[in-house]
Amino acid sequence: MIINFKGAKTYLGTGGKSLDINKRTLCFLHGSGQNHLSFIQQARFFAYKGYSVIVPDMPAHGFSDGNPCKSIKENAEWINDLLVKLNLKDVVVIGHSQGCLVALELNRILKNSLEALIFVAGSNEIPVNQFLLDLSKENPQKASQMMVTWGHGIDGDMSINKWPGHSHYGEGNNIMCMNKPKALNCDLNSCNDYSDGIYAAKNIKVPALAVLARNDQMTPLKSGLKFVELIENCETHILDCGHFLPSERPMELNSIINSFLSKLK
Amino acid sequence: MSENYKFDTLSLHAGHIPDKETGSRAVPIYQTTSYVFNSTEEAASLYNMEVGGHLYTRISNPTVAALEQRLAALEGGASALACSSGMAAMHLVVSAICSSGDHIVASSKMYGANINLLQHTMPRFGVNTDFVNPNDPEAIKSAIKPNTKLVFGEVIGNPGLDIMDVPEIAKICNSKNIPLVLDATFNTPYLMQPFKHGANIIVHSLTKWLGGHGIAIGGAIVNGGNFDWGDKDKFPTISGPHFALGGISFWEEFGPSALIAKIRAEGMYNFGPSLSPTNAFHLMQGIETLPLRMKKHIENTHSILDFLVNHEMVEWVKHPDLETHPDHEVAKRILPKGSGSIVVFGIKGGREAGKAFIESVQLASHLANVGDAKTLLIHPGSTTHSHLSSEAMKEGGLTDDMIRLSVGLEDINDITKDFERGFKAVKKLNK
């Protein structure tokens, strides 16, 4: 659905169902240079399981207009304001990659009032090399292509996809091309500059789940494992795939999330 | 470790890795109509398009999906869909995008069945087409109307071998927010990848060079994922609510793969032109050697061009790699590896000479196909294009004496020897 939020057209994926504020809401937060289409196989799945689902296109991403947020904190404040506007209270936040950093900051703003946090291919820090930062400014399309290649495991190289006929690389490149040109550079700088992750992770008091990828080259497994150690009682799973876990292992991820959600009050 | 494999490697591997259970190196033929659901919940997920997977072979099949994913990788597309023939692919694209009252701009120099579909069949359903010269970008631009929903052409026209200036036409389509749909059968992704030149949708007859062995009919649609379908008034079938699946908007839910999702949910579901898993396997076997075959096809084509151009019995020869071809410069620019292995030529003596030639050769086969590993010949005026009027034939660049040659992979000396046999028969006739 499209809403006018903070003076800009803002798109929220709802998984093909209407948003019902009386239900538990799963709020999916996409990664750098991504948009709601990162969660093609999660949004509809959970909406049809009876949850309310929102997958916002952050400003300047996907179908949303506006200027991109310039820091992780700004992203988190934007999401917080969105949840207030939509009057959503019973919320589980699921972040992928950069979305995990935003989820960490959002939890700090909301003082652990979220129902749960789910981190997919995440960490408490996502440093970005200078080459990619520069390239994302000079040639965001080329930077996107490189990220799509690095981000996928062997399924990307070999054009293996759970969705018949779909290509991770072809689809991934075009999803990233849907964003406004400045969005990727702002996202990568936001990730690179964010340094409060350790404190935010240690501060988590709500149920937490982390699903990490063994062959992740964007947020390496080693970094993800250090991250989950910071969180008290974080249920952790590792899947054999690359960074784009939601599209590489959709069924396994959905099953793990579903099982985790069923254990929440 | 991500590698970004090259074309030759993808031709062999894309779409399949050996499964852990059986270790099968080759893509298995999943000769099944249907798939056991583990639960009612799983079945519902597949029916609702919540997640990817297979529910019935009319819609998708693991062997066919491996072929589709190989094609998407070779073309650099977002997604692909394989179907029963190239014509089925063409019809699926047109019917997914267009509704009654819509309009198409198409090349006037195309394969007879493509013309028939747009000129005679689709108007019965309220979709009309204006045919224009594919080499005239201004004519294409002028033909676009407010209700035009796609521009269609062949990269290398069949059988006239006109070359569409894809980058120029793509610029026009892009400025008008209309998808450029190309039949890329004659070039294959080995010779040219249309998405790199701005095209949006590709249709293939897999029966030809991609399959390459004349044993299986098949077609495919490859979706570039580079077209914005967001205008709901212009493209309601892709971005507006679908009649089923809770009123899904394919554009909102699938973005770059919206067109393929739409075709799978509607075209494959309601029309049912599915590709058999066994044919998908045969076609993939062909694709494994596509780079090797295409190199040899082009090498033999250039040799046969030398032979025909210098032959006393040949009236004229047409191929875009010849400097005499009107689209030679465009061909050099967009098809630098070669402009395919179809050659058309006229034999001195007209229609009767052509007939005598075709009936006298032994190695080259007289049949209605192209792109086989074997050398093939046909006289379009009396066969593939016989249903067209003289005016339409002329518009398509056809003449009575034209012979269409699909150059095969045989030893070039054996092909030329065979042709000399044909020319000898023509000489006898002319005496």
mmCIF file of all heavy atoms in Angstrom, chain A residues 67-102:
data_model
loop_
_atom_site.group_PDB
_atom_site.id
_atom_site.type_symbol
_atom_site.label_atom_id
_atom_site.label_comp_id
_atom_site.label_asym_id
_atom_site.label_seq_id
_atom_site.Cartn_x
_atom_site.Cartn_y
_atom_site.Cartn_z
ATOM 1 N N ASN A 67 14.089 11.610 0.441
ATOM 2 C CA ASN A 67 15.558 11.553 0.472
ATOM 3 C C ASN A 67 16.001 10.411 1.363
ATOM 4 O O ASN A 67 15.401 10.166 2.412
ATOM 5 C CB ASN A 67 16.129 12.863 1.021
ATOM 6 C CG ASN A 67 15.857 14.011 0.071
ATOM 7 O OD1 ASN A 67 16.051 13.885 -1.136
ATOM 8 N ND2 ASN A 67 15.362 15.109 0.600
ATOM 9 N N PRO A 68 17.079 9.726 0.969
ATOM 10 C CA PRO A 68 17.516 8.603 1.793
ATOM 11 C C PRO A 68 17.979 9.055 3.174
ATOM 12 O O PRO A 68 18.538 10.141 3.319
ATOM 13 C CB PRO A 68 18.675 8.001 0.992
ATOM 14 C CG PRO A 68 19.096 9.062 0.032
ATOM 15 C CD PRO A 68 17.912 9.921 -0.228
ATOM 16 N N CYS A 69 17.755 8.226 4.186
ATOM 17 C CA CYS A 69 18.233 8.523 5.543
ATOM 18 C C CYS A 69 19.762 8.465 5.527
ATOM 19 O O CYS A 69 20.351 7.649 4.813
ATOM 20 C CB CYS A 69 17.687 7.507 6.536
ATOM 21 S SG CYS A 69 15.893 7.519 6.643
ATOM 22 N N LYS A 70 20.371 9.304 6.336
ATOM 23 C CA LYS A 70 21.836 9.417 6.259
ATOM 24 C C LYS A 70 22.565 8.689 7.375
ATOM 25 O O LYS A 70 23.792 8.747 7.453
ATOM 26 C CB LYS A 70 22.224 10.895 6.241
ATOM 27 C CG LYS A 70 21.777 11.542 4.920
ATOM 28 C CD LYS A 70 22.447 12.874 4.713
ATOM 29 C CE LYS A 70 22.160 13.361 3.299
ATOM 30 N NZ LYS A 70 21.576 14.642 3.248
ATOM 31 N N SER A 71 21.845 8.071 8.275
ATOM 32 C CA SER A 71 22.513 7.309 9.336
ATOM 33 C C SER A 71 21.583 6.191 9.801
ATOM 34 O O SER A 71 20.381 6.207 9.502
ATOM 35 C CB SER A 71 22.844 8.225 10.520
ATOM 36 O OG SER A 71 21.633 8.631 11.132
ATOM 37 N N ILE A 72 22.149 5.250 10.528
ATOM 38 C CA ILE A 72 21.329 4.162 11.057
ATOM 39 C C ILE A 72 20.297 4.730 12.036
ATOM 40 O O ILE A 72 19.136 4.319 12.039
ATOM 41 C CB ILE A 72 22.239 3.110 11.752
ATOM 42 C CG1 ILE A 72 23.140 2.418 10.701
ATOM 43 C CG2 ILE A 72 21.398 2.076 12.502
ATOM 44 C CD1 ILE A 72 22.434 1.671 9.580
ATOM 45 N N LYS A 73 20.716 5.677 12.844
ATOM 46 C CA LYS A 73 19.797 6.312 13.799
ATOM 47 C C LYS A 73 18.626 6.971 13.072
ATOM 48 O O LYS A 73 17.478 6.857 13.491
ATOM 49 C CB LYS A 73 20.544 7.365 14.635
ATOM 50 C CG LYS A 73 21.348 6.764 15.771
ATOM 51 C CD LYS A 73 21.868 7.852 16.709
ATOM 52 C CE LYS A 73 22.574 7.255 17.907
ATOM 53 N NZ LYS A 73 23.820 6.554 17.593
ATOM 54 N N GLU A 74 18.923 7.676 11.970
ATOM 55 C CA GLU A 74 17.857 8.344 11.209
ATOM 56 C C GLU A 74 16.880 7.314 10.627
ATOM 57 O O GLU A 74 15.666 7.524 10.622
ATOM 58 C CB GLU A 74 18.482 9.185 10.084
ATOM 59 C CG GLU A 74 17.564 10.262 9.547
ATOM 60 C CD GLU A 74 18.186 11.046 8.396
ATOM 61 O OE1 GLU A 74 19.391 11.375 8.458
ATOM 62 O OE2 GLU A 74 17.472 11.298 7.413
ATOM 63 N N ASN A 75 17.431 6.191 10.148
ATOM 64 C CA ASN A 75 16.579 5.107 9.649
ATOM 65 C C ASN A 75 15.662 4.603 10.763
ATOM 66 O O ASN A 75 14.461 4.388 10.563
ATOM 67 C CB ASN A 75 17.437 3.935 9.158
ATOM 68 C CG ASN A 75 17.880 4.085 7.711
ATOM 69 O OD1 ASN A 75 17.088 3.926 6.795
ATOM 70 N ND2 ASN A 75 19.158 4.393 7.503
ATOM 71 N N ALA A 76 16.240 4.410 11.956
ATOM 72 C CA ALA A 76 15.470 3.856 13.074
ATOM 73 C C ALA A 76 14.385 4.834 13.516
ATOM 74 O O ALA A 76 13.251 4.425 13.821
ATOM 75 C CB ALA A 76 16.415 3.541 14.236
ATOM 76 N N GLU A 77 14.717 6.123 13.515
ATOM 77 C CA GLU A 77 13.717 7.128 13.905
ATOM 78 C C GLU A 77 12.575 7.150 12.887
ATOM 79 O O GLU A 77 11.407 7.292 13.242
ATOM 80 C CB GLU A 77 14.380 8.509 14.007
ATOM 81 C CG GLU A 77 15.119 8.678 15.324
ATOM 82 C CD GLU A 77 16.185 9.770 15.276
ATOM 83 O OE1 GLU A 77 16.237 10.519 14.278
ATOM 84 O OE2 GLU A 77 16.978 9.842 16.235
ATOM 85 N N TRP A 78 12.942 7.014 11.626
ATOM 86 C CA TRP A 78 11.926 7.002 10.556
ATOM 87 C C TRP A 78 10.967 5.821 10.754
ATOM 88 O O TRP A 78 9.753 5.970 10.664
ATOM 89 C CB TRP A 78 12.640 6.921 9.205
ATOM 90 C CG TRP A 78 11.757 7.113 8.001
ATOM 91 C CD1 TRP A 78 11.467 8.287 7.366
ATOM 92 C CD2 TRP A 78 11.055 6.083 7.275
ATOM 93 N NE1 TRP A 78 10.646 8.056 6.300
ATOM 94 C CE2 TRP A 78 10.371 6.715 6.213
ATOM 95 C CE3 TRP A 78 10.943 4.705 7.415
ATOM 96 C CZ2 TRP A 78 9.581 6.014 5.310
ATOM 97 C CZ3 TRP A 78 10.148 3.995 6.518
ATOM 98 C CH2 TRP A 78 9.481 4.654 5.474
ATOM 99 N N ILE A 79 11.538 4.664 11.058
ATOM 100 C CA ILE A 79 10.704 3.471 11.275
ATOM 101 C C ILE A 79 9.834 3.662 12.533
ATOM 102 O O ILE A 79 8.646 3.330 12.540
ATOM 103 C CB ILE A 79 11.583 2.198 11.427
ATOM 104 C CG1 ILE A 79 12.180 1.793 10.069
ATOM 105 C CG2 ILE A 79 10.795 1.023 11.999
ATOM 106 C CD1 ILE A 79 11.184 1.219 9.074
ATOM 107 N N ASN A 80 10.439 4.209 13.573
ATOM 108 C CA ASN A 80 9.678 4.441 14.800
ATOM 109 C C ASN A 80 8.482 5.350 14.518
ATOM 110 O O ASN A 80 7.356 5.057 14.931
ATOM 111 C CB ASN A 80 10.590 5.065 15.865
ATOM 112 C CG ASN A 80 9.849 5.279 17.167
ATOM 113 O OD1 ASN A 80 9.106 4.399 17.608
ATOM 114 N ND2 ASN A 80 10.016 6.429 17.768
ATOM 115 N N ASP A 81 8.714 6.430 13.795
ATOM 116 C CA ASP A 81 7.622 7.355 13.464
ATOM 117 C C ASP A 81 6.557 6.661 12.611
ATOM 118 O O ASP A 81 5.363 6.940 12.746
ATOM 119 C CB ASP A 81 8.184 8.572 12.710
ATOM 120 C CG ASP A 81 9.072 9.439 13.598
ATOM 121 O OD1 ASP A 81 9.027 9.254 14.835
ATOM 122 O OD2 ASP A 81 9.821 10.278 13.063
ATOM 123 N N LEU A 82 7.011 5.775 11.762
ATOM 124 C CA LEU A 82 6.064 5.041 10.908
ATOM 125 C C LEU A 82 5.170 4.127 11.767
ATOM 126 O O LEU A 82 3.950 4.069 11.560
ATOM 127 C CB LEU A 82 6.825 4.212 9.864
ATOM 128 C CG LEU A 82 5.965 3.387 8.915
ATOM 129 C CD1 LEU A 82 5.213 4.300 7.937
ATOM 130 C CD2 LEU A 82 6.807 2.388 8.123
ATOM 131 N N LEU A 83 5.777 3.433 12.716
ATOM 132 C CA LEU A 83 5.004 2.538 13.581
ATOM 133 C C LEU A 83 3.976 3.346 14.386
ATOM 134 O O LEU A 83 2.841 2.903 14.579
ATOM 135 C CB LEU A 83 5.939 1.768 14.534
ATOM 136 C CG LEU A 83 6.944 0.812 13.877
ATOM 137 C CD1 LEU A 83 7.801 0.117 14.941
ATOM 138 C CD2 LEU A 83 6.269 -0.235 13.009
ATOM 139 N N VAL A 84 4.386 4.545 14.808
ATOM 140 C CA VAL A 84 3.464 5.412 15.559
ATOM 141 C C VAL A 84 2.319 5.847 14.650
ATOM 142 O O VAL A 84 1.149 5.767 15.015
ATOM 143 C CB VAL A 84 4.219 6.652 16.123
ATOM 144 C CG1 VAL A 84 3.242 7.676 16.689
ATOM 145 C CG2 VAL A 84 5.223 6.214 17.184
ATOM 146 N N LYS A 85 2.676 6.262 13.447
ATOM 147 C CA LYS A 85 1.641 6.742 12.503
ATOM 148 C C LYS A 85 0.616 5.636 12.217
ATOM 149 O O LYS A 85 -0.570 5.892 12.119
ATOM 150 C CB LYS A 85 2.290 7.212 11.198
ATOM 151 C CG LYS A 85 1.259 7.729 10.178
ATOM 152 C CD LYS A 85 1.895 8.120 8.872
ATOM 153 C CE LYS A 85 0.863 8.328 7.772
ATOM 154 N NZ LYS A 85 0.195 9.626 7.822
ATOM 155 N N LEU A 86 1.140 4.420 12.074
ATOM 156 C CA LEU A 86 0.232 3.312 11.749
ATOM 157 C C LEU A 86 -0.445 2.733 12.993
ATOM 158 O O LEU A 86 -1.261 1.825 12.894
ATOM 159 C CB LEU A 86 1.008 2.198 11.025
ATOM 160 C CG LEU A 86 1.633 2.578 9.674
ATOM 161 C CD1 LEU A 86 2.520 1.451 9.160
ATOM 162 C CD2 LEU A 86 0.538 2.899 8.651
ATOM 163 N N ASN A 87 -0.066 3.266 14.157
ATOM 164 C CA ASN A 87 -0.647 2.828 15.428
ATOM 165 C C ASN A 87 -0.389 1.337 15.689
ATOM 166 O O ASN A 87 -1.262 0.608 16.162
ATOM 167 C CB ASN A 87 -2.148 3.133 15.436
ATOM 168 C CG ASN A 87 -2.710 3.116 16.844
ATOM 169 O OD1 ASN A 87 -1.967 3.323 17.815
ATOM 170 N ND2 ASN A 87 -3.995 2.848 16.971
ATOM 171 N N LEU A 88 0.833 0.896 15.341
ATOM 172 C CA LEU A 88 1.183 -0.520 15.523
ATOM 173 C C LEU A 88 1.866 -0.680 16.877
ATOM 174 O O LEU A 88 2.818 0.032 17.188
ATOM 175 C CB LEU A 88 2.107 -0.977 14.392
ATOM 176 C CG LEU A 88 1.491 -0.907 12.999
ATOM 177 C CD1 LEU A 88 2.544 -1.199 11.938
ATOM 178 C CD2 LEU A 88 0.316 -1.872 12.862
ATOM 179 N N LYS A 89 1.384 -1.621 17.659
ATOM 180 C CA LYS A 89 1.928 -1.780 19.013
ATOM 181 C C LYS A 89 2.558 -3.145 19.236
ATOM 182 O O LYS A 89 3.623 -3.266 19.831
ATOM 183 C CB LYS A 89 0.815 -1.532 20.026
ATOM 184 C CG LYS A 89 0.364 -0.067 20.025
ATOM 185 C CD LYS A 89 -0.607 0.233 21.133
ATOM 186 C CE LYS A 89 -1.019 1.693 21.117
ATOM 187 N NZ LYS A 89 -1.860 2.050 19.960
ATOM 188 N N ASP A 90 1.916 -4.181 18.761
ATOM 189 C CA ASP A 90 2.405 -5.556 18.972
ATOM 190 C C ASP A 90 3.303 -5.920 17.777
ATOM 191 O O ASP A 90 2.853 -6.519 16.804
ATOM 192 C CB ASP A 90 1.180 -6.473 19.072
ATOM 193 C CG ASP A 90 1.556 -7.921 19.281
ATOM 194 O OD1 ASP A 90 2.756 -8.228 19.424
ATOM 195 O OD2 ASP A 90 0.636 -8.765 19.284
ATOM 196 N N VAL A 91 4.570 -5.514 17.869
ATOM 197 C CA VAL A 91 5.424 -5.576 16.666
ATOM 198 C C VAL A 91 6.665 -6.448 16.876
ATOM 199 O O VAL A 91 7.384 -6.309 17.876
ATOM 200 C CB VAL A 91 5.894 -4.152 16.254
ATOM 201 C CG1 VAL A 91 6.784 -4.206 15.018
ATOM 202 C CG2 VAL A 91 4.701 -3.245 16.009
ATOM 203 N N VAL A 92 6.903 -7.344 15.924
ATOM 204 C CA VAL A 92 8.157 -8.092 15.852
ATOM 205 C C VAL A 92 8.935 -7.505 14.670
ATOM 206 O O VAL A 92 8.376 -7.382 13.568
ATOM 207 C CB VAL A 92 7.902 -9.594 15.614
ATOM 208 C CG1 VAL A 92 9.221 -10.343 15.406
ATOM 209 C CG2 VAL A 92 7.124 -10.195 16.771
ATOM 210 N N VAL A 93 10.181 -7.139 14.905
ATOM 211 C CA VAL A 93 10.969 -6.549 13.823
ATOM 212 C C VAL A 93 11.963 -7.584 13.285
ATOM 213 O O VAL A 93 12.660 -8.244 14.058
ATOM 214 C CB VAL A 93 11.712 -5.287 14.306
ATOM 215 C CG1 VAL A 93 12.728 -4.820 13.267
ATOM 216 C CG2 VAL A 93 10.712 -4.166 14.571
ATOM 217 N N ILE A 94 11.984 -7.715 11.967
ATOM 218 C CA ILE A 94 12.891 -8.663 11.305
ATOM 219 C C ILE A 94 13.796 -7.863 10.367
ATOM 220 O O ILE A 94 13.315 -7.278 9.389
ATOM 221 C CB ILE A 94 12.090 -9.706 10.494
ATOM 222 C CG1 ILE A 94 11.160 -10.486 11.441
ATOM 223 C CG2 ILE A 94 13.013 -10.670 9.761
ATOM 224 C CD1 ILE A 94 9.774 -10.625 10.948
ATOM 225 N N GLY A 95 15.059 -7.823 10.681
ATOM 226 C CA GLY A 95 15.976 -7.060 9.842
ATOM 227 C C GLY A 95 16.884 -7.976 9.039
ATOM 228 O O GLY A 95 17.249 -9.063 9.492
ATOM 229 N N HIS A 96 17.207 -7.531 7.847
ATOM 230 C CA HIS A 96 18.189 -8.246 7.035
ATOM 231 C C HIS A 96 19.374 -7.313 6.805
ATOM 232 O O HIS A 96 19.195 -6.173 6.346
ATOM 233 C CB HIS A 96 17.587 -8.665 5.693
ATOM 234 C CG HIS A 96 18.602 -9.250 4.740
ATOM 235 N ND1 HIS A 96 18.823 -8.738 3.483
ATOM 236 C CD2 HIS A 96 19.467 -10.278 4.880
ATOM 237 C CE1 HIS A 96 19.772 -9.432 2.888
ATOM 238 N NE2 HIS A 96 20.187 -10.387 3.704
ATOM 239 N N SER A 97 20.590 -7.761 7.167
ATOM 240 C CA SER A 97 21.796 -6.988 6.907
ATOM 241 C C SER A 97 21.707 -5.604 7.562
ATOM 242 O O SER A 97 21.568 -5.523 8.779
ATOM 243 C CB SER A 97 22.018 -6.904 5.394
ATOM 244 O OG SER A 97 23.268 -6.384 5.100
ATOM 245 N N GLN A 98 21.730 -4.540 6.764
ATOM 246 C CA GLN A 98 21.606 -3.195 7.355
ATOM 247 C C GLN A 98 20.338 -3.088 8.204
ATOM 248 O O GLN A 98 20.318 -2.383 9.222
ATOM 249 C CB GLN A 98 21.568 -2.126 6.253
ATOM 250 C CG GLN A 98 21.383 -0.720 6.802
ATOM 251 C CD GLN A 98 21.145 0.320 5.706
ATOM 252 O OE1 GLN A 98 21.794 0.292 4.674
ATOM 253 N NE2 GLN A 98 20.224 1.240 5.938
ATOM 254 N N GLY A 99 19.313 -3.800 7.799
ATOM 255 C CA GLY A 99 18.054 -3.801 8.558
ATOM 256 C C GLY A 99 18.267 -4.271 9.994
ATOM 257 O O GLY A 99 17.517 -3.892 10.900
ATOM 258 N N CYS A 100 19.296 -5.094 10.228
ATOM 259 C CA CYS A 100 19.602 -5.552 11.593
ATOM 260 C C CYS A 100 20.124 -4.386 12.431
ATOM 261 O O CYS A 100 19.790 -4.268 13.618
ATOM 262 C CB CYS A 100 20.640 -6.672 11.563
ATOM 263 S SG CYS A 100 20.041 -8.156 10.748
ATOM 264 N N LEU A 101 20.967 -3.546 11.822
ATOM 265 C CA LEU A 101 21.485 -2.380 12.555
ATOM 266 C C LEU A 101 20.339 -1.427 12.893
ATOM 267 O O LEU A 101 20.268 -0.888 14.001
ATOM 268 C CB LEU A 101 22.555 -1.643 11.728
ATOM 269 C CG LEU A 101 23.768 -2.454 11.259
ATOM 270 C CD1 LEU A 101 24.760 -1.537 10.533
ATOM 271 C CD2 LEU A 101 24.463 -3.151 12.425
ATOM 272 N N VAL A 102 19.436 -1.248 11.926
ATOM 273 C CA VAL A 102 18.281 -0.374 12.163
ATOM 274 C C VAL A 102 17.415 -0.960 13.281
ATOM 275 O O VAL A 102 16.927 -0.239 14.157
ATOM 276 C CB VAL A 102 17.470 -0.182 10.851
ATOM 277 C CG1 VAL A 102 16.242 0.687 11.102
ATOM 278 C CG2 VAL A 102 18.341 0.421 9.759
#
